[in-house]
Amino acid sequence: MRKPFIAANWKMNKTMGETGEFINSFIPLVSEAEGVDILIAPPFTCLNEASGLLQKTGIRLAAQNVFYEEKGAFTGEISAQMLLSAGCSDVIIGHSERRQYFSETDEIVNRKIATARKNGLEVILCIGESLEEREADKTFEVLEKQLTDSLKDIDPNGMTIAYEPIWAIGTGKTATPEQADEAHTFIRKWLNNNVKNSDQVRILYGGSVTPENIGSLITKPEIDGALVGGASLNPDSFAKIVLGAKVSS
Ligand code: 13P
């Protein structure tokens, strides 16, 4: 049995002040949520502020990206050690928006994962197919390639994988629980076939998750939680998703 895991990806939203307001409202709303792991991924500029406010709550803190080099002349980039010093325990790597707008390839994702893990950060690896790929019946082929290439020479035990179909992100079009479950089952089989003792690796679903649909998603055996974008920006709706994962699991 894997513990449900609900993660907020705020993307490029919220200032420091807004981060403080969110966290102060959110903490009391999830005080009854033992049994669910919770994580928040604010923008880099709010990590330190969030870290202070989240202390002793058990809520984990992630960055949304990291660079694969350790330090040096890489203007604008952020290293794993910088994230640790800002209070992060986790980092999201390979989000489809990074792949789409910043040309991140599986090779870059692989290097980022290696550096993050070497430095002791927990990793949430995002994978998922586009609408064209799904319509061309290439979903499993795409997932297999992303898993194989992103995890080359990496043991994913201790990591989390987020299945985020690109066509469901920010569109209001959630994958049906059956579509999500089918992809999760494929990922689970890939893990079973390629990685020893990987049954504790959690697989999250991401793409238009809301308080209304979390219940039907989390009841699927291979869906261990959710990576939430839009609905994580409001403390009430994100808390409802956390509590929905607890009730249904
Ligand atoms: P939405 O929940 O806004 O669709 O975003 C999902 C996502 O990309 C989380 O990483």
Side-chain angles (χ1 to χ4, degrees), residues 9 11 95 97 164 168-170 206-209 227-230:
N9 176 10
K11 309 190 180 185
H95 192 280
E97 287 149 16
E164 299 206 306
I169 295 178
S208 299
V209 173
L227 181 55
V228 188

Side-chain angles (χ1 to χ4, degrees), residues 6 10 37 68 165 178-179 208 216 219 227 243:
I6 302 293
W10 285 356
D37 283 338
Y68 50 73
E178 290 68 34
Q179 282 172 322
S208 299
S216 57
T219 44
L227 181 55
L243 296 169

Side-chain angles (χ1 to χ4, degrees), residues 7-20:
N9 176 10
W10 285 356
K11 309 190 180 185
M12 197 174 74
N13 292 291
K14 296 199 191 291
T15 59
M16 277 218 275
E18 290 163 346
T19 296

